[in-house]
Every structure is written in C-alpha cells, then in structure tokens.
Amino acid sequence: MNIPDIIIAIDGYSSTGKSSFAKVIAKEFSFLYLDSGALYRGVTLFAIENGFISDDNTIDVPELTSAMNGLDLHFGPQGTYIGERCIEKEIRGLAVAGKVSPIATVPQVRAFVDSKLREFGKKKRIVMDGRDIGTTVFPQAELKIFMTADPMVRAQRRAAEMPGASIEDVLKNLEERDYIDSHREVSPLTQAEDAVVLDNSDMTMQDQVEWLKALISERFSINQ
Ligand code: DC
C-alpha cells in the first residue's frame, strides 16, 4: 500500500495498546515510530533519582525546571536514553508509572517534551503516540486516531507485561492516570474533533491494522 507523507497521531487512555499498534503500523508503512510517553517517563525517572518529587508526589518545580536545562533525554538504538545510559527498563516499572502523571501536569515539563517532539514533525512519515499529539503537539496531523478499550481488558494486558504486579494494583494505577491525564489544566487528554475512535477491546492487532488500512484508503483515495 502506497502511504502518502503524513503524520499519524495516536492518542488515548493508558494501556489501550497505542504503542504496540503504532509500532506495527510504523513497520508496515516504513514510518518512524515515536513514543511521547517515554519522554514523560524519562523526565519522571530523572525527577525521582534527583529528589525533585517526594513520596507524596510533591514536585519541586523550580529545581526540576532548572535541572532540565542539562537533561540530555533522547531516543537511541535500544529505546530511551539519558546521555549514554539506556533507561528503557527503569521507565516501564511501577515506580515511574506511579509518578509520571503528576510530572506530566507541570507546564515546564510539557514545554520541554513538546519541543523535542516537534523537531521530529519536520520530517513527516512519522507515527507518534501519546495523550495530546492530535490536539497540541501536531494539531495539523493528517490522520488522528483516538484509542480506547474496556478498563479491565487494559489492566489484564498491562499486568501480563509486569511480572509480580496484581491486576488490582495495575487497574488502580490506570484509573488514577486516566483521571489525572484527562483533568489536568495543560493539554488534557481529550479526543481531537477530527480524530477517529478505535475501541480495540475485542480486536486483534491484525483487525486493527486492517481497520487502519481501510481508513487510509478511504481518506486518501488509495487503492489497496
Ligand atoms: O503512554 P504512556 O503510558 O507511556 O504515558 C505515560 C504518561 O505520560 C501518561 O500517564 C501521561 C503522560 N503523557 C502525556 O501527558 N502526554 C503525552 N503525549 C504522552 C504521555
């Protein structure tokens, strides 16, 4: 299938399979995949390790903001890095998951991450997933998908990736994150007006890819 040079923005609730879907699409269409949540997770790890966020999630915003000037957070061959250190494993654990939503409410953090993300948008042929890609980061994206799925289905999928974590804890974390992400003042998680909803509760990955191909064919008048 001949895909035009577009930006595909995928937003939606936590653990709806946005990144798995985005990775498959990127491979299928030879697009560059960018995981915006990984950058919020990277800033969160940095804040935890440097004592800018307390156990009760109080954030020292001035200290964090000034320290971010020297934060070399970027993507590399194995995922997300701070300088030369690959942080992919650390940013996927519950310690970071429990603090990332509060960190992502800080406007200075959002500005820091947005500036990195927008650099990539100059290239096109990218698929980026997150919470505000179609609304704030790339409002001009040619294709916007808003993903959702039943909360229990989402918790089961996420728990399967986290050995030792109970479904109850994972579900609680998901619901807390959904609430904070949807209610924060800056760039809350909302469906862009021109986004197409994908509820994948009962869909396989193959179903989702077929669904997207049909959507692209129709939208851009391409013969599959
Ligand atoms: O997609 P994820 O679960 O890795 O995202 C981690 C957190 O980062 C999520 O709880 C909210 C935040 N986030 C955001 O606020 N905006 C984005 N574009 C991506 C993620």
Side-chain angles (χ1 to χ4, degrees), residues 20 30 69 81 137-138 202:
S20 308
S30 301
N69 287 323
Y81 289 71
V137 181
F138 296 130
D202 299 312

Side-chain angles (χ1 to χ4, degrees), residues 123-218:
K123 290 186 191 133
K124 296 277 177 169
R125 294 191 83 79
I126 61 172
V127 48
M128 186 179 288
D129 76 315
R131 303 295 186 290
D132 62 341
I133 308 306
T135 51
T136 305
V137 181
F138 296 130
Q140 80 285 16
E142 291 83 357
L143 191 60
K144 301 178 186 176
I145 315 286
F146 189 85
M147 288 179 67
T148 183
D150 178 79
M152 199 55 183
V153 172
R154 291 156 53 200
Q156 279 162 346
R157 288 178 188 158
R158 186 46 68 106
E161 293 167 1
M162 289 179 158
S166 73
I167 297 257
E168 290 71 28
D169 286 348
V170 174
L171 182 62
K172 192 165 163 271
N173 174 257
L174 284 186
E175 288 176 339
E176 279 169 8
R177 285 205 285 147
D178 286 350
Y179 185 85
I180 301 174
D181 295 345
S182 313
H183 290 83
R184 67 175 172 236
E185 261 176 50
V186 187
S187 300
L189 167 65
T190 43
Q191 186 190 326
E193 261 179 31
D194 49 349
V196 187
V197 175
L198 171 60
D199 181 336
N200 66 7
S201 306
D202 299 312
M203 288 171 90
T204 64
M205 184 58 77
Q206 194 54 35
D207 294 338
Q208 295 174 68
V209 172
E210 294 306 324
W211 173 87
L212 183 72
K213 284 184 172 172
L215 180 68
I216 291 180
S217 303
E218 189 195 303

Side-chain angles (χ1 to χ4, degrees), residues 8-151:
I8 304 178
I10 302 183
D11 290 303
Y13 295 103
S14 297
S15 300
T16 44
K18 296 185 298 294
S19 63
S20 308
F21 183 47
K23 277 181 205 157
V24 172
I25 294 169
K27 199 160 173 230
E28 182 98 16
F29 300 164
S30 301
F31 273 36
L32 178 66
Y33 164 61
L34 295 157
D35 172 1
S36 69
L39 296 185
Y40 287 102
R41 288 169 180 268
V43 174
T44 304
L45 180 69
F46 176 71
I48 293 171
E49 291 185 341
N50 290 284
F52 301 135
I53 182 163
S54 66
D55 289 346
D56 68 357
N57 288 352
T58 306
I59 302 166
D60 187 338
V61 175
E63 286 291 328
L64 173 60
T65 305
S66 115
M68 275 190 307
N69 287 323
L71 173 58
D72 176 19
L73 180 64
H74 59 97
F75 296 119
Q78 311 290 330
T80 317
Y81 289 71
I82 292 180
E84 309 232 307
R85 172 184 167 210
C86 178
I87 55 166
E88 203 47 45
K89 194 157 165 265
E90 290 89 330
I91 63 172
R92 303 296 164 191
L94 266 184
V96 166
K99 296 202 177 308
V100 63
S101 282
I103 289 283
T105 64
V106 177
Q108 293 88 335
V109 171
R110 302 207 70 82
F112 173 81
V113 171
D114 284 354
S115 72
K116 290 190 180 291
L117 298 176
R118 290 198 180 112
E119 274 299 301
F120 291 106
K122 294 178 184 154
K123 290 186 191 133
K124 296 277 177 169
R125 294 191 83 79
I126 61 172
V127 48
M128 186 179 288
D129 76 315
R131 303 295 186 290
D132 62 341
I133 308 306
T135 51
T136 305
V137 181
F138 296 130
Q140 80 285 16
E142 291 83 357
L143 191 60
K144 301 178 186 176
I145 315 286
F146 189 85
M147 288 179 67
T148 183
D150 178 79

